[in-house]
Amino acid sequence: MLRRALLALPFLALPAAAQEWRPERPMTIVLPYAPGSAADGYSRAMGEHFTRVLGQPVTVINRDGGSGTVGMRVVAQAAPDGLTLGITPMTPVVVQPHMVRNLGIGPDSFAPVCGIAENILGVVVREDSPFRSLTDLVEEAKRRPLSYGSPGPNSLPFLGVWRVQRSAGGSFEHIPFRGDPPSMTETLAGRLDFSAVVVASASGQIASGRMRLIGVFSDRRHPDFPDVPTAQEQGLDAVQLSFVGMYAPRGTPEPTLQVLERECRNAMETDTFRQVARQLNVVAGFRSREEFSAMVRDEYASFGTILPQLGVRPE
């Protein structure tokens, strides 16, 4: 009898072992920039997938401000139960902690879940602008100050322009905004000379002919705008990469992270996500939790060296 009972124990344990994390309440995905960016579209596509497979509604909210730090503080301060996630470029996680004293967040505040996309950054001008290249901008900026907008002070688009200035000179007057759309609105209205943006956020304006993309800061051309050269190809030492990922609060349990990582990958393979990414000219590419975590650590260390070299000091 005892032997039969012992033999039965593994089978009795199977249902419990087979259980995996499932949210018990609605989930929230925080976007730390103003509405209207490309991230809004694909984050909502990801939220729809999570709702369908995990069984709880997912709300996507915008909490902008502080070059992404306001929204990511919301994520960092949330309970580590998998119910509050953030989707953001790396700026508030790996750049801003070097820029702002006592910011309260950094890489150790989060558990990276997955990498989602490369935000190829670039410069856009109004369609009737005389500037047709980044070198045109530099030459004019040596004659007079040029005004431009970006998603915020020390955002990665801002740092792309900073690199142009450090590489070639010129005078650039920076006007910070809470995201790409407000900056582009001002450029379209003629109140700014250009905008430094995530190219995907400007893709509709570029496709309609209202704006012109004159250069990108990636180490490759944007696949949807293959005729537009990189800054490097235009003779400027101004490579600025930007990767987007999903983050959970530090301390989120391993089983929860495993499910979130898996469903991040699965969401990116759905027709809905692919269609949204294609429509918004998003350069999507899944990165595992391990790979993306290593990238976050490396980028944080890199900016700790690069920013002082650029003359940037914490405020």
Side-chain angles (χ1 to χ4, degrees):
M1 178 70 71
L2 177 62
R3 182 171 180 272
R4 284 200 300 270
L6 291 172
L7 288 173
L9 284 176
F11 297 98
L12 291 173
L14 276 177
Q19 290 179 353
E20 64 176 21
W21 176 80
R22 283 289 184 272
E24 297 180 354
R25 300 188 306 280
M27 300 174 64
T28 300
I29 295 177
V30 178
L31 301 181
Y33 293 97
S37 70
D40 279 19
Y42 61 74
S43 296
R44 283 173 169 75
M46 188 161 287
E48 290 174 9
H49 172 79
F50 277 32
T51 296
R52 185 169 61 254
V53 300
L54 298 180
Q56 289 287 350
V58 178
T59 301
V60 178
I61 64 171
N62 297 87
R63 293 293 298 272
D64 58 314
S67 293
T69 59
V70 171
M72 290 309 288
R73 270 199 294 262
V74 172
V75 177
Q77 294 167 3
D81 53 13
L83 301 182
T84 304
L85 307 169
I87 292 181
T88 182
M90 288 187 175
T91 308
V93 179
V94 307
V95 178
Q96 290 301 107
H98 294 297
M99 307 303 308
V100 182
R101 299 183 193 277
N102 303 316
L103 182 61
I105 60 170
D108 292 341
S109 305
F110 304 100
V113 174
C114 62
I116 297 171
E118 179 187 356
N119 268 349
I120 293 184
L121 312 173
V123 169
V124 290
V125 297
R126 210 164 72 163
E127 54 86 21
D128 60 353
S129 169
F131 306 129
R132 307 197 73 85
S133 68
L134 294 176
T135 51
D136 286 347
L137 280 185
V138 170
E139 290 306 310
E140 183 63 18
K142 290 178 179 178
R143 290 188 284 267
R144 66 175 178 92
L146 296 183
S147 61
Y148 77 98
S150 86
N154 306 310
S155 64
L156 296 185
F158 165 87
L159 289 175
V161 177
W162 188 311
R163 290 177 188 275
V164 168
Q165 187 175 22
R166 298 285 289 192
S167 171
S171 178
F172 297 93
E173 179 187 353
H174 177 233
I175 312 297
F177 292 88
R178 291 186 171 184
D180 291 330
S183 165
M184 292 188 295
T185 297
E186 292 300 292
T187 297
L188 284 168
R191 291 185 285 269
L192 294 176
D193 290 303
F194 66 94
S195 291
V197 298
V198 176
V199 173
S201 297
S203 60
Q205 303 288 5
I206 299 168
S208 70
R210 298 187 68 204
M211 302 194 90
R212 183 166 62 247
L213 178 66
I214 62 173
V216 299
F217 296 129
S218 182
D219 54 7
R220 57 172 171 161
R221 296 190 180 194
H222 195 297
D224 295 312
F225 304 103
D227 295 333
V228 180
T230 67
Q232 272 189 322
E233 290 173 321
Q234 298 183 53
L236 300 168
D237 182 15
V239 175
Q240 182 60 67
L241 305 178
S242 175
F243 294 93
V244 180
M246 176 181 285
Y247 299 81
R250 179 184 63 183
T252 300
E254 178 67 18
T256 303
L257 293 173
Q258 289 176 358
V259 171
L260 292 172
E261 178 186 19
R262 183 191 69 206
E263 295 312 327
C264 176
R265 178 193 288 272
N266 290 340
M268 293 179 64
E269 293 175 352
T270 63
D271 290 340
T272 299
F273 185 95
R274 288 175 172 169
Q275 182 178 0
V276 169
R278 188 165 53 249
Q279 288 174 343
L280 296 173
N281 301 103
V282 171
V283 185
F286 175 82
R287 286 179 171 82
S288 69
R289 185 155 50 103
E290 180 180 7
E291 182 183 3
F292 189 60
S293 296
M295 184 180 292
V296 170
R297 291 193 301 271
D298 290 347
E299 288 291 291
Y300 178 76
S302 176
F303 277 109
T305 300
I306 291 171
L307 290 172
Q309 292 176 354
L310 293 174
V312 180
R313 295 290 183 268
E315 298 175 354

